[in-house]
Amino acid sequence: MANTIIITGAGSGIGRVTARTFLAAGWRVGLIGRREEALRESADGQAGALVLPCDVCDAGAVDAAFDRAAAEWGRLDVLFNNAGTGLVTQTPDEVDPDEFRRVIEVNVNGVFICARAAFRVMRAQDPQGGRIINNGSVSAHAPRPGSIAYTTSKHAVTGITRSVSLDGRAFNIACGQIDIGNALTDMAVAMTRGVPQADGSLKVEPVMDAQVVADTVMHMASLPEGANVQFVTVMATNMPFVGRG
């Protein structure tokens, strides 16, 4: 029987590359996102794909999507909790509180809601257990200039990862986090043109192929029972992270 994974934010970027990587490896993949057409493009007609359009911030819709996947597959092995959003570079006084709340809603509440749904399914299935992989960021460690909403949200994701990892022990549910730096997706194209630095300058930054991220998630997801990558940082080698600021 093929392994099973649900990937959120699967309609573009890292989510799309990761979904296609797992499908190519013979996994059954549930693709979650708000845009059904984009999810179908990511699925690319593969037989193992299950398109599950929903908003990760809608707990009822998320629960229904996870229940549908569990009913169709018989079990859920892995969640890649990938969906996220950000804001343009702004100092704290320029950030609209409603926009701050929107980032927290997606990047924190959405991650919690999906982890909650996966935990529920994994705890109830027989044999019990599974694996949850949260998409953090190098911003979970050090901020970029003008990124208070995104940085706050990614620090919170680390808290979710640690809590789920601890609470999952009794139920054979592992939880880890991948912290990504400068993977080249539509969101990261700006890196190739010049982005703000801590010294006030604008500089082009090195980027890496998003496939590297997908391959790392595959490694994390494929570990044997009883082993876990708790945290891993995957980044463009020469990006300004070590020494940022």
Side-chain angles (χ1 to χ4, degrees):
M1 182 180 293
N3 290 327
T4 61
I5 183 171
I6 287 177
I7 298 173
T8 69
S12 63
I14 288 168
R16 172 171 286 181
V17 175
T18 305
R20 288 179 173 173
T21 297
F22 276 78
L23 286 166
W27 286 58
R28 288 179 290 178
V29 179
L31 296 91
I32 284 182
R34 290 178 298 173
R35 299 174 295 138
E36 182 172 355
E37 182 178 347
L39 295 176
R40 295 199 179 280
E41 289 177 8
S42 295
D44 199 28
Q46 297 296 307
L50 178 62
V51 174
L52 301 166
C54 70
D55 185 339
V56 296
C57 301
D58 183 336
V62 167
D63 282 344
F66 276 75
D67 287 343
R68 181 183 166 196
E72 184 153 331
W73 296 336
R75 70 177 288 107
L76 173 62
D77 295 309
V78 181
L79 163 66
F80 180 33
N81 218 349
N82 168 68
T85 191
L87 298 178
V88 298
T89 300
Q90 295 172 301
T91 54
D93 58 308
E94 297 171 326
V95 176
D96 185 319
D98 287 338
E99 288 295 289
F100 185 93
R101 291 187 191 99
R102 180 180 65 82
V103 173
I104 298 301
E105 179 69 10
V106 176
N107 293 7
V108 182
N109 295 347
V111 168
F112 160 70
I113 287 167
C114 292
R116 172 182 179 270
F119 200 106
R120 173 178 58 82
V121 170
M122 292 171 178
R123 180 177 182 174
Q125 62 195 7
D126 186 20
Q128 193 177 58
R131 191 179 302 275
I132 296 168
I133 301 168
N134 292 327
N135 186 344
S137 168
V138 294
S139 291
H141 304 272
R144 284 190 173 280
S147 66
I148 190 169
Y150 188 78
T151 298
T152 299
S153 72
K154 293 304 184 177
H155 276 67
V157 169
T158 299
I160 292 172
T161 298
R162 289 178 168 146
S163 291
V164 173
S165 185
L166 178 59
D167 292 340
R169 290 178 185 173
F171 310 105
N172 200 31
I173 299 170
C175 183
Q177 181 168 313
I178 180 168
D179 292 327
I180 301 162
N182 288 18
L184 185 55
T185 64
D186 289 345
M187 287 181 64
V189 168
M191 306 292 177
T192 66
R193 300 172 183 153
V195 289
Q197 305 295 310
D199 63 3
S201 65
L202 286 175
K203 291 182 181 177
V204 171
E205 292 190 7
V207 294
M208 66 177 179
D209 191 336
Q211 185 62 52
V212 175
V213 177
D215 292 343
T216 304
V217 175
M218 175 64 77
H219 171 70
M220 297 170 75
S222 302
L223 288 172
E225 184 177 331
N228 185 43
V229 173
Q230 186 70 68
F231 292 95
V232 61
T233 300
V234 180
M235 52 177 267
T237 305
N238 294 326
M239 68 172 286
F241 168 51
V242 177
R244 184 187 288 185

